[in-house]
mmCIF file of all heavy atoms in Angstrom:
data_model
loop_
_atom_site.group_PDB
_atom_site.id
_atom_site.type_symbol
_atom_site.label_atom_id
_atom_site.label_comp_id
_atom_site.label_asym_id
_atom_site.label_seq_id
_atom_site.Cartn_x
_atom_site.Cartn_y
_atom_site.Cartn_z
ATOM 1 N N VAL P 339 148.347 -46.543 155.580
ATOM 2 C CA VAL P 339 146.934 -46.732 156.108
ATOM 3 C C VAL P 339 146.742 -48.126 156.647
ATOM 4 O O VAL P 339 146.208 -48.452 157.661
ATOM 5 C CB VAL P 339 145.856 -46.332 155.039
ATOM 6 C CG1 VAL P 339 144.458 -46.688 155.524
ATOM 7 C CG2 VAL P 339 145.981 -44.874 154.592
ATOM 8 N N THR P 340 147.099 -49.159 155.812
ATOM 9 C CA THR P 340 146.916 -50.599 156.259
ATOM 10 C C THR P 340 148.127 -50.993 157.055
ATOM 11 O O THR P 340 147.978 -52.098 157.720
ATOM 12 C CB THR P 340 146.745 -51.425 154.970
ATOM 13 O OG1 THR P 340 147.975 -51.435 154.224
ATOM 14 C CG2 THR P 340 145.551 -51.117 154.166
ATOM 15 N N GLY P 341 149.302 -50.350 156.900
ATOM 16 C CA GLY P 341 150.555 -50.789 157.618
ATOM 17 C C GLY P 341 151.212 -51.854 156.959
ATOM 18 O O GLY P 341 152.110 -52.536 157.612
ATOM 19 N N LEU P 342 150.981 -52.148 155.670
ATOM 20 C CA LEU P 342 151.541 -53.184 155.008
ATOM 21 C C LEU P 342 152.677 -52.665 153.972
ATOM 22 O O LEU P 342 152.406 -51.580 153.408
ATOM 23 C CB LEU P 342 150.621 -54.101 154.140
ATOM 24 C CG LEU P 342 149.520 -54.700 155.035
ATOM 25 C CD1 LEU P 342 148.522 -55.345 153.939
ATOM 26 C CD2 LEU P 342 150.202 -55.816 155.841
ATOM 27 N N PHE P 343 153.711 -53.498 153.694
ATOM 28 C CA PHE P 343 154.690 -53.090 152.797
ATOM 29 C C PHE P 343 155.356 -54.455 152.286
ATOM 30 O O PHE P 343 155.340 -55.408 152.899
ATOM 31 C CB PHE P 343 155.717 -52.118 153.282
ATOM 32 C CG PHE P 343 156.771 -52.602 154.263
ATOM 33 C CD1 PHE P 343 157.965 -53.008 153.780
ATOM 34 C CD2 PHE P 343 156.427 -52.700 155.472
ATOM 35 C CE1 PHE P 343 158.836 -53.470 154.620
ATOM 36 C CE2 PHE P 343 157.291 -53.159 156.538
ATOM 37 C CZ PHE P 343 158.568 -53.608 156.081
ATOM 38 N N GLY P 344 156.037 -54.274 151.144
ATOM 39 C CA GLY P 344 156.934 -55.390 150.633
ATOM 40 C C GLY P 344 158.112 -54.765 150.353
ATOM 41 O O GLY P 344 158.352 -53.489 150.403
ATOM 42 N N TYR P 345 159.098 -55.466 149.862
ATOM 43 C CA TYR P 345 160.385 -54.929 149.320
ATOM 44 C C TYR P 345 161.088 -55.785 148.199
ATOM 45 O O TYR P 345 160.640 -56.995 148.066
ATOM 46 C CB TYR P 345 161.432 -54.833 150.449
ATOM 47 C CG TYR P 345 161.719 -56.065 151.133
ATOM 48 C CD1 TYR P 345 162.842 -56.697 150.548
ATOM 49 C CD2 TYR P 345 161.221 -56.515 152.139
ATOM 50 C CE1 TYR P 345 163.222 -57.992 151.150
ATOM 51 C CE2 TYR P 345 161.544 -57.740 152.778
ATOM 52 C CZ TYR P 345 162.652 -58.460 152.216
ATOM 53 O OH TYR P 345 163.017 -59.660 152.849
ATOM 54 N N GLY P 346 161.832 -55.261 147.483
ATOM 55 C CA GLY P 346 162.770 -55.935 146.533
ATOM 56 C C GLY P 346 164.199 -55.590 146.881
ATOM 57 O O GLY P 346 164.392 -54.544 147.312
ATOM 58 N N ILE P 347 165.058 -56.606 146.797
ATOM 59 C CA ILE P 347 166.470 -56.408 146.998
ATOM 60 C C ILE P 347 167.326 -57.105 145.994
ATOM 61 O O ILE P 347 166.885 -58.131 145.566
ATOM 62 C CB ILE P 347 166.866 -56.858 148.523
ATOM 63 C CG1 ILE P 347 168.307 -56.511 148.855
ATOM 64 C CG2 ILE P 347 166.619 -58.379 148.602
ATOM 65 C CD1 ILE P 347 168.641 -56.701 150.206
ATOM 66 N N GLY P 348 168.301 -56.467 145.730
ATOM 67 C CA GLY P 348 169.337 -57.057 144.708
ATOM 68 C C GLY P 348 170.721 -56.820 145.083
ATOM 69 O O GLY P 348 171.090 -55.655 145.494
ATOM 70 N N ILE P 349 171.479 -57.907 145.203
ATOM 71 C CA ILE P 349 172.914 -57.861 145.484
ATOM 72 C C ILE P 349 173.607 -58.209 144.220
ATOM 73 O O ILE P 349 173.393 -59.245 143.685
ATOM 74 C CB ILE P 349 173.308 -58.744 146.756
ATOM 75 C CG1 ILE P 349 172.416 -58.374 147.916
ATOM 76 C CG2 ILE P 349 174.794 -58.583 147.103
ATOM 77 C CD1 ILE P 349 172.628 -57.082 148.609
ATOM 78 N N ALA P 350 174.652 -57.427 143.876
ATOM 79 C CA ALA P 350 175.482 -57.807 142.674
ATOM 80 C C ALA P 350 176.027 -59.186 142.854
ATOM 81 O O ALA P 350 176.435 -59.660 143.916
ATOM 82 C CB ALA P 350 176.505 -56.763 142.414
ATOM 83 N N PRO P 351 176.059 -59.929 141.746
ATOM 84 C CA PRO P 351 176.632 -61.328 141.765
ATOM 85 C C PRO P 351 177.885 -61.415 142.511
ATOM 86 O O PRO P 351 178.139 -62.385 143.342
ATOM 87 C CB PRO P 351 176.735 -61.785 140.274
ATOM 88 C CG PRO P 351 175.612 -60.943 139.681
ATOM 89 C CD PRO P 351 175.601 -59.625 140.375
ATOM 90 N N ARG P 352 178.862 -60.596 142.284
ATOM 91 C CA ARG P 352 180.234 -60.621 142.803
ATOM 92 C C ARG P 352 180.243 -60.317 144.374
ATOM 93 O O ARG P 352 181.259 -60.525 144.942
ATOM 94 C CB ARG P 352 181.164 -59.734 142.074
ATOM 95 C CG ARG P 352 180.946 -58.248 142.159
ATOM 96 C CD ARG P 352 181.988 -57.504 141.357
ATOM 97 N NE ARG P 352 181.683 -56.203 141.218
ATOM 98 C CZ ARG P 352 180.894 -55.694 140.168
ATOM 99 N NH1 ARG P 352 180.519 -56.503 139.170
ATOM 100 N NH2 ARG P 352 180.663 -54.374 140.150
ATOM 101 N N HIS P 353 179.103 -59.737 144.842
ATOM 102 C CA HIS P 353 179.051 -59.405 146.275
ATOM 103 C C HIS P 353 178.112 -60.289 147.046
ATOM 104 O O HIS P 353 177.759 -60.029 148.266
ATOM 105 C CB HIS P 353 178.642 -57.970 146.438
ATOM 106 C CG HIS P 353 179.447 -56.969 145.770
ATOM 107 N ND1 HIS P 353 180.905 -56.769 146.192
ATOM 108 C CD2 HIS P 353 179.282 -56.135 144.809
ATOM 109 C CE1 HIS P 353 181.347 -55.874 145.405
ATOM 110 N NE2 HIS P 353 180.483 -55.483 144.593
ATOM 111 N N GLN P 354 177.536 -61.381 146.455
ATOM 112 C CA GLN P 354 176.626 -62.236 147.125
ATOM 113 C C GLN P 354 177.359 -63.164 148.153
ATOM 114 O O GLN P 354 178.593 -63.405 147.990
ATOM 115 C CB GLN P 354 175.761 -63.029 146.135
ATOM 116 C CG GLN P 354 174.877 -62.177 145.205
ATOM 117 C CD GLN P 354 174.089 -62.930 144.232
ATOM 118 O OE1 GLN P 354 174.303 -64.023 143.970
ATOM 119 N NE2 GLN P 354 173.113 -62.213 143.585
ATOM 120 N N ARG P 355 176.502 -63.607 148.991
ATOM 121 C CA ARG P 355 177.056 -64.590 150.020
ATOM 122 C C ARG P 355 178.138 -63.988 150.994
ATOM 123 O O ARG P 355 178.879 -64.551 151.496
ATOM 124 C CB ARG P 355 177.740 -65.925 149.389
ATOM 125 C CG ARG P 355 176.912 -66.580 148.258
ATOM 126 C CD ARG P 355 175.946 -67.450 149.032
ATOM 127 N NE ARG P 355 175.282 -68.355 147.909
ATOM 128 C CZ ARG P 355 174.120 -67.988 147.422
ATOM 129 N NH1 ARG P 355 173.431 -66.980 147.743
ATOM 130 N NH2 ARG P 355 173.528 -68.883 146.570
ATOM 131 N N CYS P 356 177.948 -62.627 151.111
ATOM 132 C CA CYS P 356 178.802 -61.982 152.196
ATOM 133 C C CYS P 356 177.910 -61.324 153.344
ATOM 134 O O CYS P 356 178.409 -60.673 154.110
ATOM 135 C CB CYS P 356 179.533 -60.769 151.419
ATOM 136 S SG CYS P 356 180.604 -61.318 150.189
ATOM 137 N N GLY P 357 176.707 -61.599 153.356
ATOM 138 C CA GLY P 357 175.761 -61.183 154.436
ATOM 139 C C GLY P 357 175.138 -59.830 154.203
ATOM 140 O O GLY P 357 174.377 -59.388 155.173
ATOM 141 N N TYR P 358 175.326 -59.247 153.060
ATOM 142 C CA TYR P 358 174.709 -57.890 152.834
ATOM 143 C C TYR P 358 173.228 -57.996 152.769
ATOM 144 O O TYR P 358 172.579 -57.083 153.264
ATOM 145 C CB TYR P 358 175.338 -57.340 151.450
ATOM 146 C CG TYR P 358 176.775 -57.043 151.419
ATOM 147 C CD1 TYR P 358 177.601 -57.634 150.416
ATOM 148 C CD2 TYR P 358 177.327 -56.221 152.459
ATOM 149 C CE1 TYR P 358 178.906 -57.357 150.536
ATOM 150 C CE2 TYR P 358 178.686 -55.985 152.482
ATOM 151 C CZ TYR P 358 179.427 -56.496 151.465
ATOM 152 O OH TYR P 358 180.815 -56.192 151.538
#
Side-chain angles (χ1 to χ4, degrees):
V339 175
T340 62
L342 297 175
F343 73 98
Y345 65 83
I347 184 170
I349 305 293
R352 65 182 171 267
H353 301 297
Q354 292 177 354
R355 309 280 188 264
C356 295
Y358 294 125

